[in-house]
Amino acid sequence: MRSVLIAAGIGLIMSILLTPVAIRAFRRQGLGQEIRDDGPESHLSKKGTPTMGGTVIVGATLVGYLVAHLAFVGDDGWGFSATGLLLLFLMVGMGTVGFLDDYLKIRHRRSLGLNKTAKLVGQLIVGVTFAVLAINFPSNGLTPASTVVSYVRDIEPLALGSIGFVILAYLFIAGFSNAVNLTDGLDGLAAGSSAMVLASYIVISFWQFTHDCASELIDGCYQVRDPLDITLVAASAMGACLGFLWWNTSPARIFMGDTGSLALGGLIAGLAIVTRTELLLVVLGGLFVAVTLSVVIQVAFFRATRRRVFRMAPLHHHFELAGWTENTVIVRFWLVTGMAVAFGLGLFYADWLSFAGL
């Protein structure tokens, strides 16, 4: 437990301290955000706000994870794991795709960076590499990921095989990285919501660690590889998000950009894959799902009827144009995320109670 607190604390401290340094550096380099021409008029004042703050989130996560290991590896007798390193690879890889996207936006002074094809290719390379590696590196008969579709644990009748798993994992990673990216439209909305989802994975993975089949064969134990290392990654990332949120909350002094949103979305999807809770993430990340669906519905309905369902998509802009202030939208969406996380954790615990016979 001490290592988890160290990981979260270091991630938080590094993010709080490094973000103002990044703000000054990005301002000197002229790395300011470009704003959509068709967005809410209230957002035009945000033009020029430093972006690519996701570099701080990724960096603080890496440092938090590393320090937690260096501080306790001698006492606890465990070192870096394949699962933890794969999660960090996924975060850094998706963050790199986002960084290129942000850089091109700034260089060309427009709100669009990488074209859709280039962005999807980048996500494809990172996602498929993660998926292929995740079904290797066995330890005690377990690999970091399973080729079986999971809810709270593997659903054995839904075995996909290696190729099927790689395809599903890519779609899952690309889907949630883009979902967090779409949600990152208001000050602090994506950072706060991501922190709550990451907190739920701290609870889930640490519970799996204390009820791991490798150490304790009991009814309902979890077949998960390296659950404590998963907890450290989630804790480091949560701390990094909270530290960044200190400077990103309205009025934001820096934006995470695609660098942060793609990195966080990819990491969250990776956490679901390695904890065998893929379908549960649809509940835990309910806000991200709703925001994405609002865009899909808007585009599909407009193409079919030339009319719009929402005043504007993604969903948070619809409520802004309906008269809600930005802060009202942010806080209420945070509340929605909190309720989704609470409900998801309730489902996770209910599964455990069914095995315990309570």
Side-chain angles (χ1 to χ4, degrees), residues 214-231:
S215 59
E216 190 175 10
L217 280 174
I218 57 176
D219 289 340
C221 64
Y222 297 94
Q223 295 278 359
V224 174
R225 180 177 169 179
D226 311 314
L228 182 56
D229 219 31
I230 297 171
T231 309

Side-chain angles (χ1 to χ4, degrees), residues 22-276:
I23 292 172
R24 292 191 292 269
F26 293 164
R27 283 192 184 281
R28 285 197 300 269
Q29 297 298 322
L31 303 179
Q33 177 70 43
E34 296 297 321
I35 304 299
R36 288 174 54 181
D37 296 331
D38 59 345
E41 291 185 8
S42 61
H43 288 207
L44 296 178
S45 62
K46 300 180 181 183
K47 184 175 181 178
T49 301
T51 187
M52 294 197 295
T55 53
V56 176
I57 297 175
V58 175
T61 300
L62 295 174
V63 172
Y65 175 81
L66 177 63
V67 171
H69 270 281
L70 294 179
F72 291 98
V73 65
D75 296 334
D76 296 342
W78 52 273
F80 299 103
S81 72
T83 307
L85 294 177
L86 280 171
L87 287 172
L88 294 177
F89 161 78
L90 180 59
M91 185 182 196
V92 172
M94 297 302 290
T96 301
V97 175
F99 180 87
L100 293 174
D101 194 31
D102 287 331
Y103 178 77
L104 289 176
K105 290 176 184 176
I106 296 166
R107 182 179 179 181
H108 297 297
R109 296 297 175 188
R110 58 196 182 101
S111 62
L112 298 176
L114 289 173
N115 60 47
K116 292 179 180 179
T117 301
K119 197 170 184 178
L120 287 175
V121 168
Q123 292 174 317
L124 177 67
I125 294 171
V126 176
V128 169
T129 302
F130 168 83
V132 170
L133 294 176
I135 52 178
N136 289 283
F137 305 104
S139 176
N140 296 322
L142 290 174
T143 54
S146 168
T147 58
V148 180
V149 177
S150 61
Y151 163 55
V152 173
R153 56 187 83 233
D154 286 346
I155 306 171
E156 293 300 337
L158 298 181
L160 299 174
S162 298
I163 295 177
F165 165 75
V166 170
I167 294 172
L168 180 64
Y170 161 68
L171 294 174
F172 203 70
I173 292 166
F176 268 93
S177 61
N178 288 323
V180 177
N181 183 231
L182 290 171
T183 306
D184 184 34
L186 301 180
D187 297 353
L189 178 58
S193 300
S194 295
M196 284 186 267
V197 177
L198 289 166
S200 72
Y201 274 105
I202 295 174
V203 174
I204 289 171
S205 56
F206 193 76
W207 183 267
Q208 291 175 334
F209 167 67
T210 58
H211 300 82
D212 185 10
C213 293
S215 59
E216 190 175 10
L217 280 174
I218 57 176
D219 289 340
C221 64
Y222 297 94
Q223 295 278 359
V224 174
R225 180 177 169 179
D226 311 314
L228 182 56
D229 219 31
I230 297 171
T231 309
L232 293 184
V233 175
S236 301
M238 183 200 70
C241 282
L242 292 176
F244 181 78
L245 186 60
W246 182 270
W247 305 99
N248 179 236
T249 192
S250 183
R253 293 183 57 186
I254 187 171
F255 299 137
M256 69 168 65
D258 286 13
T259 307
S261 59
L262 293 185
L264 288 172
L267 175 60
I268 288 170
L271 287 168
I273 290 170
V274 298
T275 57
R276 319 298 204 254

